[in-house]
């Protein structure tokens, strides 16, 4: 640009000099002075044009720099937006690829499972079909079922209260039995607490009562020797061999020996063989005395 301005100024100067040369034929001294002045003016105009061109050049460069900065800013914005679009597109493509890979993997797993099922079904041995015709088994004849008449269920009897039983062996206390000799009782029980006597109502001689606390043994005279007439329990400290004792209720006695042979308000009696008895004297439903007796004629 500077060169163009300088060349224009030089051409202008040359043309001006030529014109001046044409007019200097009449006065040579004036032409030389004017030429000197024109050269100085041309130099001044050249310097001025150079300064002007430099100013314009600097302004043009500033404008160009501004435009370049704007262009670079626009390009950077465009690059950023293109990068964002590219990253979004890349993320979308990666998501699509992951989905496609998961679908492909599920398809491959299902295909592998189906292949395994096909192989297992193919490996199962098929039963050999015999070429021989199978003998047809005769069809079983239909059995006619005979309906049995329903048995009428009888109502179950109501449970009865459990009761004991009585026997001849119950008329005994520690192997002491009415009708036996007194010597056996004395050997089992030892010496009595007391002995009382009274004229016998049965034979010739005396009846005796041997007392052992709440237990009393009464004897009578017999031609073969003294024998036991009765065994009496007068208190609760003594019990029969089955556990009956004075103070029990009549219901408790029935649980031990069963239903009595004879019963009234004051008495319950169990009769055994050979005129033997087990007696319970009662008062208000309670036992007040127990006796084992043998009838003597």
């Amino acid at each position: 640009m500077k060169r163009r301005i300088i060349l224009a100024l030089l051409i202008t100067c040359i043309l001006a000099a030529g014109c001046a040369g044409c007019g200097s034929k009449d006065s040579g001294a004036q032409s030389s002075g004017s030429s000197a002045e024109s050269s100085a003016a041309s130099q001044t105009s050249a310097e001025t044009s150079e300064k002007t061109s430099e100013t314009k050049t600097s302004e043009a460069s500033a404008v160009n720099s501004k435009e370049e900065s704007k262009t670079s800013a626009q390009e950077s914005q465009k690059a950023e937006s293109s990068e964002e679009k590219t990253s979004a597109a890349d993320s979308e493509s990666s998501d699509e690829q992951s989905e496609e890979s998961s679908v492909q993997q599920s398809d491959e797993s299902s295909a592998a499972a189906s292949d395994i099922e096909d192989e297992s079904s193919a490996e199962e041995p098929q039963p050999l079909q015999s070429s021989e015709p199978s003998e047809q088994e005769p069809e079983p004849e239909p059995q006619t079922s005979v309906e049995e008449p329903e048995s009428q269920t009888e109502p179950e009897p109501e449970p009865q209260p459990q009761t004991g039983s009585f026997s001849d062996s119950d008329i005994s206390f520690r192997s002491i039995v009415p009708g036996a000799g007194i010597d056996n009782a004395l050997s089992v029980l030892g010496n009595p607490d007391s002995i009382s006597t009274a004229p016998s109502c049965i034979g010739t001689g005396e009846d005796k009562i041997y007392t052992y606390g709440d237990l009393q043994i009464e004897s009578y005279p017999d031609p073969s020797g003294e024998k036991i007439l009765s065994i009496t329990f007068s208190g609760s400290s003594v019990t029969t061999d089955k556990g009956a004792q004075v103070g029990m209720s009549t219901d408790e006695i029935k649980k031990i020996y069963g239903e009595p042979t004879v019963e009234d308000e004051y008495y319950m009696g169990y009769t055994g063989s050979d005129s033997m008895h087990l007696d319970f004297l009662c008062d208000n439903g309670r036992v007040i005395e127990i006796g084992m007796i043998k009838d003597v004629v």
Side-chain angles (χ1 to χ4, degrees), residues 16-17 19-24 27-42:
C19 292
C22 292
S24 65
S27 58
Q30 291 177 357
S31 63
S32 61
S34 61
S35 62
E37 290 176 358
S38 64
S39 63
S42 64

Side-chain angles (χ1 to χ4, degrees), residues 270-283:
Y270 296 86
T271 302
S273 61
D274 197 16
S275 302
M276 303 279 284
H277 303 276
L278 176 62
D279 300 331
F280 295 89
L281 299 180
C282 305
D283 185 16

Side-chain angles (χ1 to χ4, degrees), residues 19 23 37-38 41-42 80 87 93 107 130-131 137 146 149 159 168 186 193 201 208 211-212 269 276:
C19 292
E37 290 176 358
S38 64
S42 64
E80 290 178 357
S87 62
S93 62
D107 294 338
S130 60
S131 59
E137 296 181 357
V146 180
D168 289 345
L186 296 176
D193 296 335
C201 299
K208 296 181 180 179
T211 302
Y212 296 89
M276 303 279 284

Side-chain angles (χ1 to χ4, degrees), residues 4 9-10 47 61 64-65 94 124-125 144 150 153 165 180 184 186 214 220 256 264 283:
R4 290 178 182 178
L9 292 174
L10 288 174
E47 290 177 358
S61 63
N64 290 331
S65 64
S94 64
E124 291 181 356
T144 58
E150 295 182 357
T153 57
S165 60
N184 182 36
L186 296 176
D214 292 337
Y220 65 95
I256 296 173
D264 59 23
D283 185 16

